[in-house]
Amino acid sequence: MNILIKPIITEKATNDSELYNRYAFVVNKKANKVEIKNAVEKAYGVTIESVRTMNYPVQRNTKYTKNGIVQAMKGAYKKAIVQLADGENIDFYSNI
């Protein structure tokens, strides 16, 4: 089971990483906090203080257009915010 799917690189997540040393990841929906902590420590070689998780439900959207009703759906996902120890950091751009 692949636990870490991708890092979240948005303006809000980047601001959190610069000010509070917190990084956000999209993770597997079935992963728990201990598995997420171990996966981040193994992948990036950092020390984790805490892990916060959030489950986002499916978002359905309906638009009324000239051609009729168009329906869309954004799938459910789980987000984890990882608090690193003081002096630690993760560089997402090192392997580009």
Side-chain angles (χ1 to χ4, degrees):
M1 174 169 80
N2 191 9
I3 295 173
L4 296 178
I5 296 173
K6 65 179 180 177
I8 298 174
I9 304 173
T10 60
E11 189 174 349
K12 186 175 182 179
T14 305
N15 192 30
D16 264 2
S17 67
E18 292 172 357
L19 296 177
Y20 305 111
N21 211 16
R22 292 188 292 223
Y23 295 87
F25 295 91
V26 175
V27 296
N28 190 329
K29 288 186 269 187
K30 295 183 180 181
N32 60 30
K33 292 182 180 185
V34 176
E35 292 172 340
I36 295 167
K37 178 181 177 180
N38 292 336
V40 172
E41 286 179 344
K42 183 180 175 186
Y44 296 103
V46 294
T47 306
I48 306 295
E49 285 186 359
S50 67
V51 177
R52 299 179 190 143
T53 60
M54 292 161 269
N55 286 310
Y56 287 91
V58 173
Q59 293 180 348
R60 296 185 188 335
N61 189 7
T62 304
K63 294 180 184 178
Y64 298 96
T65 65
K66 292 180 186 178
N67 297 330
I69 298 173
V70 177
Q71 294 182 345
M73 183 179 78
K74 185 192 287 187
Y77 64 96
K78 186 173 192 175
K79 180 167 84 171
I81 297 179
V82 177
Q83 174 77 41
L84 299 184
D86 291 336
E88 301 275 344
N89 64 355
I90 296 175
D91 186 16
F92 294 128
Y93 304 107
S94 64
N95 59 1
I96 293 178

